[in-house]
Short mmCIF file of all heavy atoms in Angstrom, two decimals:
data_model
loop_
_atom_site.label_atom_id
_atom_site.label_comp_id
_atom_site.label_asym_id
_atom_site.label_seq_id
_atom_site.Cartn_x
_atom_site.Cartn_y
_atom_site.Cartn_z
N PRO X 1 16.08 -71.65 57.89
CA PRO X 1 15.60 -70.37 57.36
C PRO X 1 14.23 -70.00 57.95
O PRO X 1 13.37 -70.86 58.16
CB PRO X 1 15.50 -70.60 55.86
CG PRO X 1 16.40 -71.76 55.60
CD PRO X 1 16.36 -72.61 56.84
N THR X 2 14.05 -68.71 58.19
CA THR X 2 12.80 -68.19 58.73
C THR X 2 12.33 -67.03 57.87
O THR X 2 13.09 -66.08 57.67
CB THR X 2 13.00 -67.68 60.18
OG1 THR X 2 13.52 -68.75 60.97
CG2 THR X 2 11.71 -67.18 60.77
N VAL X 3 11.10 -67.12 57.37
CA VAL X 3 10.53 -66.00 56.63
C VAL X 3 10.13 -64.94 57.64
O VAL X 3 9.31 -65.19 58.53
CB VAL X 3 9.31 -66.43 55.78
CG1 VAL X 3 8.67 -65.22 55.11
CG2 VAL X 3 9.72 -67.46 54.74
N LEU X 4 10.72 -63.75 57.52
CA LEU X 4 10.45 -62.67 58.44
C LEU X 4 9.32 -61.76 57.95
O LEU X 4 8.61 -61.17 58.75
CB LEU X 4 11.71 -61.83 58.65
CG LEU X 4 12.93 -62.58 59.18
CD1 LEU X 4 14.14 -61.66 59.22
CD2 LEU X 4 12.64 -63.17 60.55
N LYS X 5 9.18 -61.66 56.63
CA LYS X 5 8.15 -60.80 56.07
C LYS X 5 7.85 -61.27 54.65
O LYS X 5 8.77 -61.58 53.89
CB LYS X 5 8.62 -59.35 56.06
CG LYS X 5 7.53 -58.33 55.79
CD LYS X 5 8.01 -56.92 56.13
CE LYS X 5 6.84 -55.96 56.09
NZ LYS X 5 7.23 -54.62 56.51
N SER X 6 6.57 -61.31 54.31
CA SER X 6 6.14 -61.66 52.95
C SER X 6 5.40 -60.47 52.37
O SER X 6 4.52 -59.89 53.02
CB SER X 6 5.21 -62.88 52.98
OG SER X 6 5.93 -64.02 53.37
N LEU X 7 5.76 -60.12 51.14
CA LEU X 7 5.22 -58.93 50.48
C LEU X 7 4.85 -59.27 49.04
O LEU X 7 5.19 -60.34 48.53
CB LEU X 7 6.27 -57.82 50.47
CG LEU X 7 6.90 -57.48 51.81
CD1 LEU X 7 8.33 -57.04 51.63
CD2 LEU X 7 6.09 -56.42 52.49
N THR X 8 4.19 -58.33 48.38
CA THR X 8 3.90 -58.45 46.96
C THR X 8 4.29 -57.14 46.30
O THR X 8 3.95 -56.07 46.79
CB THR X 8 2.39 -58.72 46.72
OG1 THR X 8 2.05 -59.94 47.38
CG2 THR X 8 2.08 -58.85 45.24
N PHE X 9 5.02 -57.24 45.19
CA PHE X 9 5.43 -56.06 44.42
C PHE X 9 5.03 -56.30 42.98
O PHE X 9 5.58 -57.19 42.31
CB PHE X 9 6.94 -55.84 44.52
CG PHE X 9 7.41 -54.55 43.90
CD1 PHE X 9 7.60 -53.44 44.69
CD2 PHE X 9 7.64 -54.45 42.54
CE1 PHE X 9 8.05 -52.24 44.14
CE2 PHE X 9 8.09 -53.27 41.98
CZ PHE X 9 8.28 -52.16 42.78
N ASN X 10 4.05 -55.54 42.51
CA ASN X 10 3.57 -55.66 41.13
C ASN X 10 3.35 -57.12 40.70
O ASN X 10 3.77 -57.55 39.64
CB ASN X 10 4.53 -54.97 40.15
CG ASN X 10 4.51 -53.47 40.32
OD1 ASN X 10 3.59 -52.90 40.90
ND2 ASN X 10 5.53 -52.81 39.82
N GLY X 11 2.70 -57.88 41.56
CA GLY X 11 2.35 -59.26 41.26
C GLY X 11 3.43 -60.28 41.57
O GLY X 11 3.22 -61.48 41.39
N HIS X 12 4.59 -59.86 42.03
CA HIS X 12 5.68 -60.77 42.38
C HIS X 12 5.71 -60.97 43.89
O HIS X 12 5.65 -60.01 44.64
CB HIS X 12 7.03 -60.21 41.92
CG HIS X 12 7.13 -60.03 40.45
ND1 HIS X 12 7.40 -61.07 39.60
CD2 HIS X 12 6.98 -58.94 39.68
CE1 HIS X 12 7.42 -60.62 38.36
NE2 HIS X 12 7.17 -59.31 38.38
N SER X 13 5.82 -62.23 44.31
CA SER X 13 5.95 -62.48 45.75
C SER X 13 7.39 -62.21 46.16
O SER X 13 8.34 -62.58 45.46
CB SER X 13 5.55 -63.91 46.10
OG SER X 13 6.48 -64.83 45.58
N VAL X 14 7.54 -61.53 47.28
CA VAL X 14 8.85 -61.16 47.81
C VAL X 14 8.89 -61.59 49.27
O VAL X 14 8.06 -61.15 50.07
CB VAL X 14 9.09 -59.63 47.70
CG1 VAL X 14 10.43 -59.26 48.31
CG2 VAL X 14 8.99 -59.17 46.25
N ASP X 15 9.82 -62.46 49.60
CA ASP X 15 10.00 -62.91 50.98
C ASP X 15 11.35 -62.43 51.50
O ASP X 15 12.37 -62.53 50.80
CB ASP X 15 9.95 -64.43 51.10
CG ASP X 15 8.58 -64.99 50.78
OD1 ASP X 15 7.58 -64.37 51.19
OD2 ASP X 15 8.51 -66.05 50.13
N ILE X 16 11.35 -61.90 52.71
CA ILE X 16 12.58 -61.51 53.39
C ILE X 16 12.86 -62.59 54.42
O ILE X 16 12.01 -62.89 55.27
CB ILE X 16 12.43 -60.12 54.05
CG1 ILE X 16 12.14 -59.08 52.96
CG2 ILE X 16 13.69 -59.77 54.84
CD1 ILE X 16 11.75 -57.72 53.47
N ILE X 17 14.04 -63.18 54.32
CA ILE X 17 14.35 -64.41 55.06
C ILE X 17 15.64 -64.24 55.85
O ILE X 17 16.59 -63.63 55.38
CB ILE X 17 14.50 -65.58 54.06
CG1 ILE X 17 13.18 -65.78 53.31
CG2 ILE X 17 14.96 -66.85 54.75
CD1 ILE X 17 13.28 -66.71 52.14
N ARG X 18 15.64 -64.83 57.04
CA ARG X 18 16.88 -64.95 57.82
C ARG X 18 17.28 -66.41 57.75
O ARG X 18 16.53 -67.29 58.13
CB ARG X 18 16.68 -64.54 59.27
CG ARG X 18 17.92 -64.84 60.10
CD ARG X 18 17.75 -64.46 61.53
NE ARG X 18 18.49 -63.21 61.71
CZ ARG X 18 18.42 -62.47 62.78
NH1 ARG X 18 17.62 -62.81 63.76
NH2 ARG X 18 19.12 -61.37 62.89
N LYS X 19 18.49 -66.65 57.20
CA LYS X 19 18.99 -68.02 57.10
C LYS X 19 19.94 -68.33 58.25
O LYS X 19 19.89 -69.39 58.84
CB LYS X 19 19.69 -68.25 55.76
CG LYS X 19 18.73 -68.22 54.59
CD LYS X 19 19.44 -68.53 53.29
CE LYS X 19 18.45 -68.49 52.14
NZ LYS X 19 19.10 -68.81 50.86
N SER X 20 20.85 -67.42 58.51
CA SER X 20 21.79 -67.56 59.61
C SER X 20 22.46 -66.22 59.80
O SER X 20 22.31 -65.31 58.99
CB SER X 20 22.84 -68.64 59.31
OG SER X 20 23.62 -68.25 58.21
N GLY X 21 23.19 -66.10 60.85
CA GLY X 21 23.90 -64.85 61.09
C GLY X 21 22.96 -63.75 61.57
O GLY X 21 21.76 -63.92 61.66
N HIS X 22 23.55 -62.61 61.86
CA HIS X 22 22.80 -61.51 62.45
C HIS X 22 22.56 -60.37 61.47
O HIS X 22 21.50 -59.76 61.48
CB HIS X 22 23.55 -60.99 63.68
CG HIS X 22 22.94 -59.78 64.29
ND1 HIS X 22 21.77 -59.83 65.01
CD2 HIS X 22 23.32 -58.50 64.27
CE1 HIS X 22 21.47 -58.61 65.41
NE2 HIS X 22 22.39 -57.78 64.98
N ASP X 23 23.53 -60.12 60.61
CA ASP X 23 23.49 -58.89 59.83
C ASP X 23 23.11 -59.07 58.37
O ASP X 23 23.05 -58.11 57.63
CB ASP X 23 24.85 -58.20 59.92
CG ASP X 23 24.69 -56.73 60.22
OD1 ASP X 23 23.67 -56.35 60.80
OD2 ASP X 23 25.60 -55.97 59.85
N THR X 24 22.89 -60.32 57.93
CA THR X 24 22.53 -60.56 56.54
C THR X 24 21.15 -61.20 56.46
O THR X 24 20.87 -62.18 57.15
CB THR X 24 23.57 -61.49 55.85
OG1 THR X 24 24.85 -60.89 55.94
CG2 THR X 24 23.22 -61.73 54.40
N LEU X 25 20.30 -60.62 55.63
CA LEU X 25 19.00 -61.19 55.32
C LEU X 25 19.00 -61.55 53.85
O LEU X 25 19.80 -61.03 53.06
CB LEU X 25 17.88 -60.19 55.63
CG LEU X 25 17.79 -59.71 57.07
CD1 LEU X 25 16.67 -58.67 57.21
CD2 LEU X 25 17.55 -60.87 58.02
N TRP X 26 18.11 -62.43 53.46
CA TRP X 26 18.03 -62.89 52.08
C TRP X 26 16.67 -62.52 51.50
O TRP X 26 15.67 -62.49 52.22
CB TRP X 26 18.25 -64.39 52.02
CG TRP X 26 19.61 -64.75 52.54
CD1 TRP X 26 19.94 -65.04 53.83
CD2 TRP X 26 20.82 -64.77 51.80
NE1 TRP X 26 21.28 -65.25 53.94
CE2 TRP X 26 21.86 -65.10 52.71
CE3 TRP X 26 21.14 -64.56 50.46
CZ2 TRP X 26 23.18 -65.22 52.30
CZ3 TRP X 26 22.45 -64.68 50.06
CH2 TRP X 26 23.47 -65.01 50.98
N VAL X 27 16.64 -62.28 50.21
CA VAL X 27 15.41 -61.94 49.52
C VAL X 27 15.10 -63.03 48.50
O VAL X 27 15.98 -63.39 47.69
CB VAL X 27 15.54 -60.58 48.79
CG1 VAL X 27 14.27 -60.27 48.00
CG2 VAL X 27 15.83 -59.47 49.77
N GLU X 28 13.90 -63.56 48.57
CA GLU X 28 13.42 -64.48 47.54
C GLU X 28 12.32 -63.78 46.77
O GLU X 28 11.42 -63.18 47.36
CB GLU X 28 12.89 -65.77 48.14
CG GLU X 28 13.98 -66.67 48.66
CD GLU X 28 13.48 -68.04 49.08
OE1 GLU X 28 12.25 -68.31 48.99
OE2 GLU X 28 14.31 -68.85 49.51
N ILE X 29 12.42 -63.84 45.45
CA ILE X 29 11.38 -63.30 44.58
C ILE X 29 10.80 -64.48 43.82
O ILE X 29 11.53 -65.22 43.16
CB ILE X 29 11.94 -62.24 43.61
CG1 ILE X 29 12.50 -61.06 44.42
CG2 ILE X 29 10.85 -61.76 42.65
CD1 ILE X 29 13.18 -59.99 43.58
N ASN X 30 9.50 -64.68 43.98
CA ASN X 30 8.81 -65.81 43.35
C ASN X 30 9.48 -67.14 43.68
O ASN X 30 9.62 -68.01 42.83
CB ASN X 30 8.69 -65.61 41.84
CG ASN X 30 7.88 -64.39 41.49
OD1 ASN X 30 6.98 -63.99 42.22
ND2 ASN X 30 8.22 -63.75 40.39
N GLY X 31 9.95 -67.26 44.94
CA GLY X 31 10.51 -68.52 45.42
C GLY X 31 11.97 -68.76 45.07
O GLY X 31 12.50 -69.82 45.40
N ARG X 32 12.64 -67.82 44.42
CA ARG X 32 14.05 -67.98 44.05
C ARG X 32 14.90 -66.95 44.76
O ARG X 32 14.55 -65.78 44.81
CB ARG X 32 14.21 -67.86 42.54
CG ARG X 32 13.50 -68.98 41.78
CD ARG X 32 13.66 -68.91 40.29
NE ARG X 32 15.07 -68.79 39.91
CZ ARG X 32 15.48 -68.03 38.89
NH1 ARG X 32 14.62 -67.32 38.18
NH2 ARG X 32 16.75 -67.97 38.58
N THR X 33 16.04 -67.37 45.31
CA THR X 33 16.93 -66.44 46.01
C THR X 33 17.44 -65.41 45.02
O THR X 33 18.07 -65.75 44.02
CB THR X 33 18.11 -67.18 46.66
OG1 THR X 33 17.58 -68.16 47.57
CG2 THR X 33 19.01 -66.21 47.42
N ALA X 34 17.14 -64.14 45.30
CA ALA X 34 17.45 -63.06 44.37
C ALA X 34 18.53 -62.11 44.87
O ALA X 34 19.23 -61.51 44.07
CB ALA X 34 16.18 -62.25 44.07
N ALA X 35 18.65 -61.97 46.20
CA ALA X 35 19.60 -60.97 46.71
C ALA X 35 19.91 -61.23 48.18
O ALA X 35 19.16 -61.90 48.88
CB ALA X 35 19.02 -59.56 46.55
N ALA X 36 21.03 -60.65 48.59
CA ALA X 36 21.40 -60.60 50.00
C ALA X 36 21.28 -59.15 50.45
O ALA X 36 21.61 -58.23 49.70
CB ALA X 36 22.82 -61.10 50.20
N ILE X 37 20.79 -58.96 51.65
CA ILE X 37 20.70 -57.63 52.26
C ILE X 37 21.75 -57.57 53.36
O ILE X 37 21.73 -58.39 54.28
CB ILE X 37 19.31 -57.37 52.88
CG1 ILE X 37 18.20 -57.53 51.87
CG2 ILE X 37 19.28 -56.01 53.57
CD1 ILE X 37 18.08 -56.44 50.85
N HIS X 38 22.67 -56.63 53.24
CA HIS X 38 23.68 -56.42 54.28
C HIS X 38 23.19 -55.25 55.14
O HIS X 38 23.30 -54.09 54.74
CB HIS X 38 25.04 -56.15 53.64
CG HIS X 38 25.46 -57.25 52.72
ND1 HIS X 38 25.89 -58.47 53.18
CD2 HIS X 38 25.46 -57.34 51.37
CE1 HIS X 38 26.16 -59.26 52.16
NE2 HIS X 38 25.91 -58.60 51.04
#
């Protein structure tokens, strides 16, 4: 996994991560996997 971008939203850390593949990214909020981005 590679963190592509780290952000903050109203005090919550949000990381956009590439784990594998080309078209799906993953979102971690406060260190927990929260969503997939297609």
Side-chain angles (χ1 to χ4, degrees):
T2 303
V3 176
L4 302 175
K5 193 167 190 175
S6 293
L7 308 148
T8 300
F9 187 97
N10 291 342
H12 298 280
S13 68
V14 177
D15 293 321
I16 299 170
I17 298 169
R18 173 181 257 170
K19 292 183 180 181
S20 64
H22 175 73
D23 227 25
T24 302
L25 300 177
W26 299 90
V27 177
E28 287 188 359
I29 298 176
N30 298 329
R32 295 181 52 218
T33 302
I37 303 286
H38 303 287

